[in-house]
Amino acid sequence: MMTRFCGSTASLAIWLIKCAGSSDVNLPPSANPHKTFGLIETVEKAAQIYMLTAHLPRINTITDTQLKDLAELFGVTYRKDFLNL
């Protein structure tokens, strides 16, 4: 499920293992602890918002097509496999 929230799951997992004290993990040169802990904070905040709002009715939603159109309008790269088009 974690891969649905961020593309750097491997980086996140590697740093979590390293921070847990495992000494036999070879970190890739691109591993960045600041980016990883930022991802942890982002996931934690998203989970907190979800838990606070999950019981509420969803009244302002957009369709997958509308989301695709907005992404294209703003020139944002989006994960096509997440949308039901």
Side-chain angles (χ1 to χ4, degrees):
M1 194 69 170
M2 186 64 143
T3 55
R4 294 192 68 125
F5 297 112
C6 62
S8 300
T9 306
S11 176
L12 180 64
I14 288 170
W15 275 101
L16 287 175
I17 291 168
K18 191 66 174 176
C19 291
S22 177
S23 61
D24 52 334
V25 174
N26 294 321
L27 296 176
S30 62
N32 181 342
H34 301 292
K35 181 177 177 182
T36 301
F37 288 113
L39 289 171
I40 292 170
E41 291 175 2
T42 301
V43 170
E44 181 181 14
K45 180 56 92 175
Q48 181 182 19
I49 292 170
Y50 174 79
M51 293 303 294
L52 291 171
T53 61
H55 68 284
L56 300 173
R58 294 181 184 176
I59 53 175
N60 294 324
T61 60
I62 62 173
T63 65
D64 287 351
T65 304
Q66 291 170 324
L67 184 61
K68 177 187 77 78
D69 293 342
L70 280 172
E72 291 173 354
L73 178 69
F74 287 102
V76 177
T77 303
Y78 63 96
R79 295 279 308 261
K80 294 173 178 65
D81 56 325
F82 286 178
L83 302 179
N84 296 319
L85 298 174

